Amino acid sequence: MRRFRWWWGALVLACVALLIGSFVLFGAESMRGRPQPRQGPPGTGPLTVVALGDSTVSGEGAGDYTPDTDGRNGDWCHRSPNAFVQKVRIPGVTARVNLACSGAPSAQVALGGADQWGERSQAAQLAEVVKNHRVSVVVIGVGANDDPKFSAQVTTCFQAWFSAGEAGCNVALRETWKSKVDAMVPKVTAAVGDVKKVLARAGYVPADYQLVLQSYATPVGPGIPADLQSLNGCPFRTDDLDWIAGPGISTLSAGLRQAATQTGARFLDLAQAGKQHEACSGGADQATEWFTRLTLHLDDLTHLDRATHALQESFHPNAAGHAAIAGCLSEFLATRDATAACVDGPGNALNAKPGG
């Protein structure tokens, strides 16, 4: 009887051991066949954030431009160490690469032969970056230099200020602005698509990186002191300022939001980011302003190769503006929100409002 109990106990132990072994073996085989989660971007090198786009990304207006982009060999991309990409805070990211170029259209961000100030495609430059960087975030700001031709519109509005008896620039723009923005959307979509294509060719999958398309902030707005609606600061008519800060910027943002949706990019709306911090809004005290006023570099007028760029910084985010945008972008990247808007927050900062 005692021997029987011993035999029965041994049999039970053997069965348990067999079951455990089978479970371990089955689990191991199962894990081999199941895709394992990736540990971030592929390749080697530091985790990196890359910025592509035009002047609002390069750092135009923020000063201290790198010598190679401040007119050397005709390169006026005006990349600044004060640009928001240099100040954004992302856990684990230790490298920052700014490929943006002042005046760049979508075609120069995309793959292809378009260049800007002698620089080749930004997407093609990104293909070189991923060879020795692990890109975890890509931020793109582009579109205003396509059909909307924002710089040209600012010049038109500036000219309207001189012609007091004639209609403001907004009268004609109200008729054409929406169609200009509509024509811009597929060009931005193609550029963002090419950026994604470059990363896919390098072995990236969408889960490896964050892709953000951002819109534009209003550089000027209503409420400017009358004495600054002049060559002393912001020479624009009041009705033009109302239009720029209202339908003008909101229509442009809506078009870029559409491009983000079509490409699967996250969207950060900056339309209201400059509210109460626009150029000339501070009156006699410019400390609260995040955008440059009418800026003329007199020294540049004495050099033929620089004279045509003497006004280039005007009505762009300054260093304080870029720092504020960087704070909002940092907050947005820390969330899983598909869209957000940069809005005024406590402490003279910008907060990322979900779904904005």
Side-chain angles (χ1 to χ4, degrees), residues 6 34 38 52 69 79 112 134 159-160 169 207 238 243 264 281 318 332 334 341:
W6 176 88
R34 184 185 306 163
R38 296 174 68 130
L52 303 93
T69 64
R79 295 194 189 100
R134 299 172 64 227
Q159 293 169 343
C169 67
T238 299
W243 182 84
S281 62
N318 57 25
F332 179 52

Side-chain angles (χ1 to χ4, degrees), residues 36-62:
Q36 297 301 299
R38 296 174 68 130
Q39 300 301 311
T44 58
L47 279 178
T48 304
V49 54
V50 179
L52 303 93
D54 55 29
S55 58
T56 59
V57 182
S58 71
E60 183 74 74

Side-chain angles (χ1 to χ4, degrees), residues 277 287-288 290 324 344-350:
H277 297 281
T288 61
W290 291 347
D344 230 2
N348 206 32
L350 285 174

Side-chain angles (χ1 to χ4, degrees), residues 189-213:
T189 299
V192 176
D194 279 357
V195 169
K196 294 175 66 177
K197 188 182 300 181
V198 166
L199 293 169
R201 288 174 178 172
Y204 285 68
V205 298
D208 290 332
Y209 63 99
Q210 295 193 61
L211 176 63
V212 175
L213 178 65

